[in-house]
């Protein structure tokens, strides 16, 4: 079984994340042009319900599997690893099957009464089998991540994205003549095919790794393994998975109710149902993907952090825990900042270039300043989960969700705010949850970061942002697209130079990154 270090594992997932984000924008850019904002609204409207179900099934199990497998790996207990995997897979398949059947039987009622637009029915039907596919795949990912082998997760994500690019657009285009609801369902069918492809990749790599591991002699503690039966492993699994699932379930339910409350609040503000669906589709299907583009790094960091911190905590190595957390947060801050700057300064040309709808830029511009809070949030939450403090993450997420939903109900129903009221509420939620996570981690680990780093990042953003704005909005060239790319490139380059000059990025760090990348490619 190939095992990587924390940095190598993060780099592998980061490379896959960047590829996925870049490739994933192909259908995100072209799909709105095929089915429009209203079609995107129908396509997106079923996602919050799906995420709630997937959270119940996969919210805590893969993280618990990764943590338990990492601990067993540290003890060189191969038999325990096998038993944890089999038990987790059985539990996930059982839950996934039950929820898939219930969702299929209740599809008509859910689409009519909960999702506010009955046209989402066909999309919901096609979406339902994803529950079982993702449920099984999450256990395989947790197993590989626990063994600190990030290649299967990365490869499955890339294959899923490549397949989805083709199938989403082809199926949506083929179904468009039958109506928007069928086109949205066709796009969702493309997502389903992509998830099946990812699961096949994970299964093939698992079988390959199991064949190789059979040649490795067992070195674990047989006496200890004999006393730990299936029920003991199940108790450990549920003890870890339940609070993590609860924390994620709060966020998923919040997202689900957010979609309902937003559309209903817009209706009470005098916005027609179709327009409300289109506005919500623009927010979730156009603005949020751009905002989450740099989260490829924070996702990579959070996935790599759980097994790394779990292993360090099992050995009571506080120095490593502090070092890994500091690396993660500093990387999230330094790498996320230039993208937040570009989204704020170049919001209008960015939305026009990607979607042909510059009016969406007002929402992106409002959310860009809080983007850094998003990128900070994932490593902080992963730290709480790895150090067995998921209850703190649960309370923090619940507090933020209550505040967000209350603000959406209050602000989005006012005609003077409309959809921008929902954006304000989401911004408050992001900042509040991140600050609460930070306070929890600081109290737990007595951890702090140098405030000078934040000041330096702010200065680098200001300098590069002013340069980007000047290049973009000065009529030195009539071609707006060329001006946009020159503005982005100049802003990023100036930010990088500023970061190196202020020692936010060390030259040795860049050389080490290049060396690790070459080593991984070999």
């Amino acid at each position: 079984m190939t095992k990587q270090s924390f940095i190598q594992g993060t780099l592998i997932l980061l490379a896959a994340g960047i590829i996925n984000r870049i490739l994933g924008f192909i259908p995100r850019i072209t799909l709105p042009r095929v089915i429009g904002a209203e079609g995107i609204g129908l396509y997106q409207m079923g996602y919050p319900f799906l995420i709630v179900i997937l959270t119940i099934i996969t919210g805590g199990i893969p993280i618990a599997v990764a943590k338990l497998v990492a601990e067993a790996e540290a003890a060189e207990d191969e038999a325990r690893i096998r038993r944890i995997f089999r038990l987790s897979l059985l539990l996930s398949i059982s839950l996934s099957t039950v929820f898939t059947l219930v969702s299929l039987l209740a599809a008509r009622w859910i689409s009519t009464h909960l999702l506010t637009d009955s046209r989402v029915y066909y999309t919901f039907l096609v979406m339902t089998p994803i529950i079982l596919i993702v449920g099984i795949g999450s256990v395989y990912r947790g197993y590989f991540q626990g063994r600190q082998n990030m290649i299967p997760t990365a490869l499955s994500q890339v294959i899923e994205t490549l397949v989805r690019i083709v199938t989403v657009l082809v199926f949506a285009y083929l179904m468009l003549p039958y109506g928007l609801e069928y086109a949205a369902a066709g796009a969702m069918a493309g997502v389903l095919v992509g998830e099946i492809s990812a699961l096949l990749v994970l299964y093939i790599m698992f079988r390959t790794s199991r064949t190789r591991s059979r040649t490795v002699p067992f070195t674990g503690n047989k006496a200890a393994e004999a006393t730990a039966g299936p029920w003991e492993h199940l108790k450990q699994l549920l003890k870890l998975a339940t609070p993590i699932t609860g924390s994620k379930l709060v966020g998923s339910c919040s997202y689900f109710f957010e979609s309902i409350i937003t559309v209903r609040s817009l209706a009470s503000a005098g916005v027609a149902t179709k327009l409300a669906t289109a506005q919500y589709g623009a927010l979730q299907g156009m603005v949020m993907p751009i905002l989450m583009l740099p989260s490829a790094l924070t996702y990579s960091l959070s996935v790599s952090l759980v097994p790394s911190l779990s292993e360090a905590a099992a050995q009571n190595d506080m120095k490593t825990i502090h070092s890994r957390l500091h690396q993660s947060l500093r990387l999230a801050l330094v790498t996320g900042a230039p993208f937040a700057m570009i989204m704020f300064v170049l919001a209008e040309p960015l939305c026009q270039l990607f979607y042909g709808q510059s009016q969406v830029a007002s929402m992106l511009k409002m959310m860009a300043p809080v983007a850094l809070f998003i990128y900070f949030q994932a490593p902080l939450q992963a730290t709480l989960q790895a150090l067995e403090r998921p209850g703190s993450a649960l309370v923090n997420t619940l507090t933020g969700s209550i505040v967000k939903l209350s603000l959406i109900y209050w602000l989005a129903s006012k005609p003077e705010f409309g959809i921008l009221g929902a954006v304000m509420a989401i911004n408050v939620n992001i900042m509040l949850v991140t600050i609460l996570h930070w306070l929890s981690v600081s109290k737990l680990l007595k951890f702090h970061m140098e405030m000078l780093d934040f000041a330096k990042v702010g200065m680098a953003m200001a300098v590069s942002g002013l340069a980007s704005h000047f290049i973009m909005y000065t009529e030195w060239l009539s071609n707006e697209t060329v001006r946009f790319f020159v503005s982005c490139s100049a802003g990023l380059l100036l930010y990088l130079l500023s970061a190196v000059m202020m020692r936010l990025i060390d030259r040795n760090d860049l050389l080490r990154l290049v060396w690790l990348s070459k080593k991984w490619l070999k």
Side-chain angles (χ1 to χ4, degrees):
M1 173 70 68
T2 304
K3 181 176 179 179
Q4 300 96 34
S5 68
F6 171 70
I7 293 295
Q8 287 173 323
T10 302
L11 282 174
I12 290 169
L13 290 175
L14 175 59
I18 292 172
I19 293 170
N20 286 342
R21 292 296 194 276
I22 294 172
L23 294 176
F25 257 90
I26 296 175
R28 287 190 182 279
I29 293 169
T30 53
L31 190 60
R33 299 174 187 270
V34 175
I35 63 177
E38 188 179 348
I40 290 293
L42 294 174
Y43 172 71
Q44 288 286 338
M45 199 168 285
Y47 264 116
F49 186 87
L50 175 66
I51 290 174
V52 170
I53 301 300
L54 290 179
T55 301
I56 296 173
I57 298 166
T58 69
I61 290 178
I63 295 176
V65 170
K67 180 174 173 57
L68 292 174
V69 168
E71 291 172 353
E73 178 94 352
E76 299 182 346
D77 196 338
E78 196 67 33
R80 184 182 168 204
I81 292 174
R82 287 196 295 269
R83 189 170 292 184
I84 290 168
F85 172 77
R86 290 168 184 164
L87 185 64
S88 306
L89 191 60
L90 178 62
L91 179 62
S92 185
I93 289 175
S94 301
L95 288 172
S96 301
T97 302
V98 169
F99 279 100
T100 299
L101 293 175
V102 170
S103 298
L104 283 172
L105 293 173
R108 178 65 71 180
W109 185 87
I110 291 169
S111 58
T112 304
H113 293 85
L114 291 183
L115 301 181
T116 69
D117 194 326
S118 59
R119 292 178 298 168
V120 79
Y121 170 70
Y122 297 106
T123 304
F124 188 86
L125 276 181
V126 176
M127 179 184 72
T128 303
I130 294 176
I131 297 171
L132 182 60
I133 304 300
V134 173
I136 296 171
S138 67
V139 177
Y140 283 101
R141 288 192 174 99
Y143 167 82
F144 284 118
Q145 289 160 13
R147 305 201 81 154
Q148 299 187 44
N149 179 13
M150 305 302 169
I151 293 174
T153 299
L155 184 60
S156 66
Q157 289 172 347
V158 172
I159 295 298
E160 185 269 332
T161 302
L162 288 171
V163 173
R164 178 163 47 87
I165 287 172
V166 177
T167 53
V168 164
L169 295 175
V170 170
F171 292 169
Y173 179 77
L174 291 175
M175 298 303 292
L176 185 59
Y178 300 97
L180 275 182
E181 59 268 41
Y182 291 99
M188 188 59 70
V191 176
L192 173 61
V193 175
E195 293 292 348
I196 293 172
S197 303
L199 179 58
L200 287 174
V201 171
L202 289 169
Y203 177 75
I204 291 169
M205 297 197 74
F206 174 78
R207 296 298 301 176
T208 303
S209 68
R210 295 300 300 154
T211 302
R212 291 174 181 170
S213 67
R214 287 194 187 102
T215 63
V216 180
F218 173 74
T219 56
N221 187 336
K222 294 184 179 181
E225 179 60 29
T227 60
W231 288 110
E232 187 64 31
H233 288 308
L234 181 62
K235 284 170 60 179
Q236 285 183 310
L237 187 68
L238 293 177
K239 182 181 177 182
L240 289 169
T242 301
I244 296 172
T245 301
S247 177
K248 291 192 172 184
L249 188 59
V250 168
S252 300
C253 289
S254 169
Y255 180 39
F256 173 57
F257 288 118
E258 172 193 317
S259 64
I260 297 172
I261 294 173
T262 300
V263 175
R264 293 188 185 278
S265 296
L266 290 174
S268 66
V271 180
T273 301
K274 288 188 176 183
L275 180 58
T277 300
Q279 288 182 342
Y280 183 74
L283 174 60
Q284 292 297 336
M286 299 181 190
V287 174
M288 291 305 294
I290 296 176
L291 201 70
M292 298 302 291
L293 183 62
S295 65
L297 174 64
T298 55
Y299 168 78
S300 308
L301 290 170
S302 60
V303 170
S304 299
L305 263 179
V306 172
S308 179
L309 292 187
S310 298
E311 191 172 338
Q315 298 167 355
N316 200 26
D317 187 355
M318 293 302 296
K319 183 179 179 181
T320 299
I321 291 173
H322 275 253
S323 174
R324 293 284 184 263
L325 181 57
H326 187 268
Q327 282 178 328
S328 301
L329 294 178
R330 187 180 170 88
L331 272 170
L333 174 66
V334 174
T335 56
F339 294 98
M341 175 273 296
I342 286 173
M343 286 184 284
F344 181 77
V345 174
L346 305 177
E348 290 87 357
L350 193 62
C351 292
Q352 179 63 36
L353 179 66
F354 279 12
Y355 306 118
Q357 300 188 34
S358 58
Q359 68 272 18
V360 177
S362 58
M363 290 189 278
L364 178 61
K365 201 159 192 171
M366 285 181 66
M367 299 195 75
V370 303
L372 284 177
F373 288 87
I374 297 177
Y375 311 146
F376 250 53
Q377 194 174 119
L380 290 171
Q381 183 158 323
T383 301
L384 292 172
Q385 292 166 351
L387 300 180
E388 299 187 11
R389 293 294 188 279
S392 299
L394 171 60
V395 173
N396 299 341
T397 307
L398 179 61
T399 303
S401 298
I402 292 172
V403 172
K404 178 183 72 172
L405 295 175
S406 302
L407 286 175
I408 288 176
Y409 180 77
W410 178 45
L411 294 174
S413 59
K414 294 181 179 297
E416 61 268 29
F417 291 124
I419 191 66
L420 297 182
V423 174
M424 295 177 200
I426 294 170
N427 282 352
V428 171
N429 169 69
I430 292 167
M431 291 188 291
L432 179 60
V433 173
T434 304
I435 291 169
L436 291 175
H437 282 351
W438 172 266
L439 293 175
S440 298
V441 170
S442 299
K443 182 179 179 181
L444 176 64
L445 298 175
K446 303 293 187 290
F447 177 82
H448 70 279
M449 288 183 68
E450 293 292 335
M451 296 306 296
L452 185 59
D453 286 344
F454 293 95
K456 289 178 179 178
V457 168
M459 289 176 61
M461 290 176 69
V463 170
S464 57
L466 287 171
S468 292
H469 186 276
F470 177 78
I471 293 171
M472 182 66 217
Y473 296 105
T474 301
E475 295 290 337
W476 59 276
L477 187 68
S478 59
N479 192 315
E480 188 173 308
T481 302
V482 174
R483 287 207 317 270
F484 171 76
F485 282 110
V486 172
S487 176
C488 284
S489 302
L492 289 173
L493 181 60
L494 192 56
Y495 175 85
L496 182 62
L497 292 173
S498 302
V500 172
M501 288 176 61
M502 291 187 285
R503 302 191 177 222
L504 283 168
I505 301 174
D506 190 89
R507 187 180 66 177
N508 293 327
D509 291 335
L510 292 174
L511 293 174
R512 191 180 300 114
L513 188 65
V514 172
W515 178 80
L516 283 171
S517 300
K518 288 180 178 177
K519 185 177 178 182
W520 176 70
L521 286 172
K522 288 180 181 178

